[in-house]
Amino acid sequence: MMRHAKLFAALATGATAHHALFAPGMHCRGGNNPAVDDQNTNLVVNPLYNLTKEQWWMQADRGCNFVGPPSGQSLALPAGGIFTGEIAENRAFTTLSYNGDLTTDWTDGRDHPVNWTGPSTGEGCLVNNPDGFGGPLHTQNETRATGTALAISYNSNLAKVNMENLVVISVAPNTPWKRLVNYPIPADLPPCAPGQCYCAWLWVPDGCGEPNMYMQNFRCHVPGSTSVRRLGVAQPPVYCANNPSACVKGPKQMIAWHQRTGNNVVTPGDVTPPYNSKMGFFAGAQNDIFEPRVGCFVDSDSPRVLPHQISSITGGMTTEKCISACETAGYFYAGVEYSTECFCGNSQPGSGLLVADGQCDMPCAGDGGETCGAGWRIEVYGTGKYPASSYTPAVSPVLTTSTWLYLCPEVQWGGSCENIRVGHAEKCVSLAGTDLYKRVRSAGPDMGRCVLFR
């Protein structure tokens, strides 16, 4: 019991850093010494500020560009699904350390009010509260948290990863805040084998501390995808809070800001460039990151690759006319075939039907300078429409009696052995009485048991 309490106290007083995403596949998981697995490391959470690009790129300033994840570990980003990760001040406050003993709903291993906010006077930052906690979050409250992002590059050789092929794919608004965070992944993200892609976790806080940025490294992969789409070339985002028409459309680069070299954004009055609509990012999956053309596919009478035909196009078929007609009709994909035909659909053609581009070689009836498929060959494009992007905040698991694990013998209230909901038998005694847990007396069938409850 005393060992556990002292450990938490040491971590709490020693955690002077900021935040990072902790998940399988991360670089410097145990620090920057590959021979040591430090469960109490906060190396990756330290921010990047006023550095040369050679220093801040991939956290080279601390050697994390060379210290990859343990063998066989890779961050899984399920196409069309959600990746749930853990943001924390220290690895110790995640499930990657100490069997999760020090985790709570929050990033610092403590408990805080649901409506946690800074004082109404002064700058109003969390750290200005009497308890002094919350400084590493760089915010006044949840609504002021600027958002964090994930980006991916389809390169296994880190020397080939650059700003143009590292594309932001998902944004979690109003984070960092609590430990668990959801990142929706675009459904059309093409497959990538374990460890064969590079991913980065990104954050630029707004106020309440040094105006810095964060870029953290992962080896990653994309399971469950049959997509043949290609990511477009990432462009620098533009501050567009007061002029939405100026927002950059399509694939965007990470934000590089307040560094000695390598910056890619300039904001009016040095306003913080966040990962939200002020910089052209939207909550959830960034579905506008792909090249318009999907590919050339084999078609057939039954079933059609794209099932809905548009017959109202006049003046000769072009790819632009077909794409526009399908977009107006609400479809996600458009396809031109046999020089004059236009089809629409909401499902990407199967990768088994993909053929060489040269098989789609018939000139468009309305523009001989572009091709419109061929006989039973359909040239497919994305229309730019996708299912509405959505973001659902991660919710901590609800504790019910069915999820409690009673690993100690049943005793009456006040006994010497405490029951706990998670973990190992040796924690039953060691956790009893610490300030991390509250002892509660359950009702119903559990009456009389000693239970430790966060």
Side-chain angles (χ1 to χ4, degrees):
M1 177 173 67
M2 292 303 296
R3 182 199 66 80
H4 187 90
K6 288 179 180 178
L7 174 60
F8 181 79
L11 293 171
T13 57
T16 59
H18 303 261
H19 281 87
L21 178 70
F22 290 84
M26 64 184 290
H27 283 230
C28 281
R29 169 184 170 132
N32 56 11
N33 182 351
V36 176
D37 184 26
D38 182 2
Q39 297 194 68
N40 180 24
T41 177
N42 60 16
L43 179 69
V44 294
V45 312
N46 295 317
L48 303 163
Y49 178 68
N50 197 29
L51 302 173
T52 65
K53 186 177 181 183
E54 291 74 20
Q55 292 172 311
W56 64 257
W57 182 248
M58 298 186 183
Q59 293 188 334
D61 64 324
R62 66 211 68 176
C64 287
N65 52 331
F66 292 122
V67 183
S71 177
Q73 287 198 7
S74 179
L75 177 65
L77 302 177
I82 293 176
F83 161 68
T84 301
E86 299 178 80
I87 296 179
E89 296 179 17
N90 189 307
R91 176 182 162 185
F93 302 134
T94 74
T95 58
L96 298 186
S97 286
Y98 307 117
N99 300 310
D101 288 357
L102 300 183
T103 60
T104 66
D105 290 347
W106 299 87
T107 63
D108 60 0
R110 298 182 176 86
D111 289 312
H112 300 286
V114 174
N115 61 344
W116 194 24
T117 190
S120 57
T121 58
E123 193 178 9
C125 301
L126 289 174
V127 72
N128 299 137
N129 281 318
D131 60 18
F133 299 144
L137 283 167
H138 288 279
T139 191
Q140 296 87 5
N141 50 48
E142 183 177 11
T143 61
R144 292 294 301 274
T146 53
T148 58
L150 287 177
I152 192 170
S153 173
Y154 280 75
N155 285 278
S156 58
N157 182 350
L158 297 191
K160 295 184 178 180
V161 179
N162 56 44
M163 294 289 278
E164 289 72 32
N165 61 41
L166 180 62
V167 179
V168 174
I169 61 171
S170 186
V171 168
N174 305 119
T175 61
W177 186 241
K178 288 192 173 181
R179 176 174 60 89
L180 296 181
V181 59
N182 282 342
Y183 293 97
I185 308 303
D188 279 358
L189 204 63
C192 181
Q196 295 303 298
C197 280
Y198 169 82
C199 286
W201 181 80
L202 311 163
W203 174 37
V204 180
D206 183 11
C208 292
E210 186 178 72
N212 50 45
M213 72 175 205
Y214 296 75
M215 178 191 191
Q216 182 195 349
N217 313 317
F218 290 84
R219 284 288 185 174
C220 57
H221 65 285
V222 182
S225 173
T226 58
S227 174
V228 297
R229 299 204 72 171
R230 294 179 290 271
L231 273 62
V233 176
Q235 303 298 318
V238 170
Y239 188 82
C240 54
N242 302 315
N243 182 16
S245 64
C247 295
V248 171
K249 308 298 184 184
K252 286 179 277 296
Q253 298 176 8
M254 64 170 284
I255 297 169
W257 185 64
H258 269 189
Q259 304 304 317
R260 202 174 309 159
T261 61
N263 298 310
N264 67 343
V265 299
V266 176
T267 59
D270 204 32
V271 173
T272 298
Y275 285 98
N276 59 32
S277 61
K278 293 179 180 179
M279 293 296 294
F281 297 100
F282 42 89
Q286 309 298 291
N287 286 314
D288 61 349
I289 60 177
F290 305 99
E291 293 182 358
R293 190 177 186 278
V294 180
C296 180
F297 297 85
V298 174
D299 201 4
S300 62
D301 256 334
S302 181
R304 285 280 187 179
V305 165
L306 300 179
H308 304 283
Q309 186 168 11
I310 300 289
S311 302
S312 57
I313 295 176
T314 60
M317 182 63 63
T318 66
T319 57
E320 290 77 14
K321 288 180 180 179
C322 181
I323 292 170
S324 177
C326 290
E327 180 183 9
T328 299
Y331 292 105
F332 306 151
Y333 299 98
V336 286
E337 185 169 341
Y338 202 56
S339 185
T340 61
E341 299 172 346
C342 175
F343 296 88
C344 312
N346 283 334
S347 296
Q348 186 182 143
S351 57
L353 299 176
L354 183 68
V355 294
D357 288 344
Q359 293 191 33
C360 287
D361 59 358
M362 290 186 68
C364 296
D367 184 350
E370 60 181 18
T371 57
C372 279
W376 298 117
R377 296 293 184 271
I378 185 169
E379 206 159 355
V380 177
Y381 294 82
T383 64
K385 290 187 70 69
Y386 289 89
S389 180
S390 61
Y391 173 77
T392 303
V395 178
S396 299
V398 176
L399 182 65
T400 66
T401 54
S402 63
T403 62
W404 292 340
L405 298 179
Y406 297 101
L407 300 177
C408 292
E410 293 184 27
V411 294
Q412 293 301 308
W413 184 255
S416 61
C417 185
E418 314 299 44
N419 295 295
I420 58 175
R421 65 181 179 92
V422 293
H424 302 283
E426 60 264 30
K427 293 194 297 186
C428 291
V429 176
S430 66
L431 293 181
T434 70
D435 58 0
L436 290 181
Y437 295 81
K438 296 178 180 178
R439 289 184 4 171
V440 298
R441 186 175 183 181
S442 305
D446 294 306
M447 182 69 75
R449 289 182 174 180
C450 295
V451 179
L452 287 174
F453 179 85
R454 285 190 190 276

